Amino acid sequence: MRHVIALDVGGTGMKAALVALDGGLLYEERRPLARGLGPAAVVESILRFAGDLRARGRERLGTIADAAGVAVPGLVSAEHGGIAVHSARLGRHGRRDVPLREPLRHRLDGMPVAVERSARAAGLAEGRLGAGRGAGRFLFVSLGSAVDGVIGVGDGIEADARAHGHAGRIGHVVVRPGGPPCGCGRRGCLEAVASEAAVGRAWSTLCGDPSVGGAACARAVAAGDEAASRVWREAVAALADGLIAAHTVLDLRTLVIGGGLAEAGETLLTPLRAAVEERVTFQRTPAVVRAALGDGASCLGAGLLARDLLTRTTAPRPGPVRRLPEAHGEAAGPVVPRAAVSCVGPRGRDR
C-alpha cells in the first residue's frame, strides 16, 4: 500500500507514523531521545528511526514509502536544503547549520524528504484538519518550553515564498522591555514571560518548589490559589499584548492556542479572551480557541508535508495564485491546497 513517513522530533522523544495517501493511519511508534546528546548523535537517532520506518513499511505494507516529512524544533532553512539553522535540540546549547534533508535522503535511498520546523508543521495540521480549518486567516501559537507561531491562511499556512523562513516567531516579540532574559539574547520576549517554561519558573520561585512547572501553576489557579493566580495573570497579560500586536499587523479572524500551557483549557482561554477584548481598539476582536490536535499535530503536519511533495512532483504546473477573501477588509493571502491526512494523535503536551 502506498504511504508516506511522518516523523516529529521533540524535546525528549520522537513520534512517527506511516500514513496512507488517503490519510489513513497505518502504523505509529514513539521513541525516547536522551538528553545531553551531541548534535551528531541526535541526527543519527533521527536517521536511524527514519530508516527503520522505511523498512517497517516494506515489511508490513509490501512497499517502501513514497516520501518522508520530518518536523524539528528550532529554525529550518527552506532555501538551503532543509538545514536546521538553529535548533536547541540538535546539540547542547543549540547548534547552527545542521544538515538534515540530504542525510535523510541518503539514508532513505533518494526518497523525497521535506524538513520543517515543528511549529509550522503543527500549524499546517491545525489549518487543514484542526481548529484553523475554515478560519480564513489565523495565527497558531504554541505555548510550550518555547513560544512559536505560524501564520495561517486558507485552511493551511503561509506559502514557502518567505524572505528568510522565520515568519510567525511571535515568541521573540518584546512585550516586557527590560524583563527576564530570553534564549535569543534579548530581554522581555514573550517566550521569556508567557511560555509554559516561563510560567513554571515563576511559580516554582514563588512557591519554593523546584519540581513544579506550568501545569502545576494552572492546577493551582483552578483551585483558587491567589499566588498562582498572580503569576497566571501576568503571563496572560503579556500573551494578550503579543497577540494583539500580531493581530494589528495581520488582521486575523482566529487565534489558535496550542502547546502544553493550552492544556489548561478554559483556565487559560477565558481570561485570555477577556484580555484580548480589553486591548482591542479599532481592530475587530478575533476568536480565541484551543488547538484541536494536541501533541500529534507536528507529526500530522509532517505527514502532510510528505504528501505535498508527491503533489508537487506529479501535479501539472500551477497557474496564478488565487487570493483569499479579505479577513476584515484589509489583508489577504494565497490559498494553500488541503491534504486528506486524518490521523490524529492523542491530546497531550506539545513539547
Side-chain angles (χ1 to χ4, degrees):
M1 176 182 291
R2 293 187 66 191
H3 62 280
V4 297
I5 294 170
L7 176 57
D8 173 35
V9 181
T12 58
M14 298 181 286
K15 298 184 289 289
L18 300 180
V19 184
L21 298 193
D22 64 1
L25 179 62
L26 304 174
Y27 173 80
E28 58 184 343
E29 182 179 346
R30 296 186 181 223
R31 290 187 183 180
L33 195 57
R35 291 187 179 276
L37 294 177
V42 174
V43 170
E44 178 56 32
S45 296
I46 296 170
L47 297 180
R48 185 183 307 115
F49 198 5
D52 291 347
L53 290 164
R54 179 180 182 273
R56 189 79 66 189
R58 182 170 50 200
E59 294 166 3
R60 287 176 170 248
L61 306 173
T63 184
I64 62 173
D66 289 295
V70 180
V72 296
L75 303 180
V76 175
S77 171
E79 300 174 15
H80 300 101
I83 291 176
V85 177
H86 182 81
S87 178
R89 192 59 193 95
L90 298 183
R92 299 179 184 87
H93 310 298
R95 173 65 183 258
R96 294 182 179 273
D97 301 336
V98 178
L100 284 175
R101 181 182 299 158
E102 287 310 309
L104 280 163
R105 282 176 56 86
H106 179 74
R107 183 66 61 95
L108 298 174
D109 293 337
M111 181 186 300
V113 175
V115 178
E116 188 54 271
R117 84 177 198 252
S118 299
R120 276 184 60 83
L124 176 63
E126 288 289 347
R128 294 191 188 175
L129 309 169
R133 185 172 179 177
R137 292 181 66 79
F138 68 93
L139 184 69
F140 169 74
V141 180
S142 177
L143 305 173
S145 56
V147 174
D148 204 351
V150 179
I151 302 165
V153 58
D155 290 357
I157 56 175
E158 55 151 4
D160 262 343
R162 299 165 282 159
H164 307 103
H166 302 168
R169 300 279 293 181
I170 190 173
H172 299 290
V173 172
V174 174
V175 293
R176 296 294 181 266
C182 180
C184 74
R186 303 180 75 186
R187 302 185 71 91
C189 291
L190 182 61
E191 182 171 301
V193 293
S195 64
E196 182 184 30
V199 171
R201 286 193 297 270
W203 176 231
S204 174
T205 299
L206 194 60
C207 73
D209 183 352
S211 68
V212 301
C217 184
R219 289 192 295 270
V221 171
D225 187 290
E226 181 53 35
S229 295
R230 288 198 302 273
V231 171
W232 202 253
R233 284 193 295 268
E234 290 172 6
V236 168
L239 179 56
D241 287 341
L243 293 175
I244 281 295
H247 176 46
T248 302
V249 173
L250 298 173
D251 187 26
L252 303 159
R253 288 191 181 275
T254 305
L255 300 169
V256 178
I257 310 300
L261 213 59
E263 296 306 310
E266 290 303 318
T267 299
L268 173 66
L269 296 180
T270 296
L272 181 58
R273 291 186 187 107
V276 168
E277 179 76 33
E278 289 171 0
R279 287 159 174 74
V280 167
T281 54
F282 64 89
Q283 311 95 327
R284 294 191 185 183
T285 304
V288 179
V289 303
R290 183 180 177 182
L293 303 179
D295 77 343
S298 292
C299 189
L300 282 168
L304 291 169
L305 290 164
R307 282 177 45 91
D308 286 354
L309 285 177
L310 302 180
T311 301
R312 285 201 294 268
T313 56
T314 61
R317 186 178 183 83
V321 173
R322 181 164 58 91
R323 306 300 293 179
L324 267 178
E326 296 176 355
H328 291 127
E330 298 176 21
V335 171
V336 180
R338 181 185 298 166
V341 175
S342 59
C343 58
V344 178
R347 180 178 289 279
R349 294 168 61 124
D350 284 32
R351 56 192 66 247

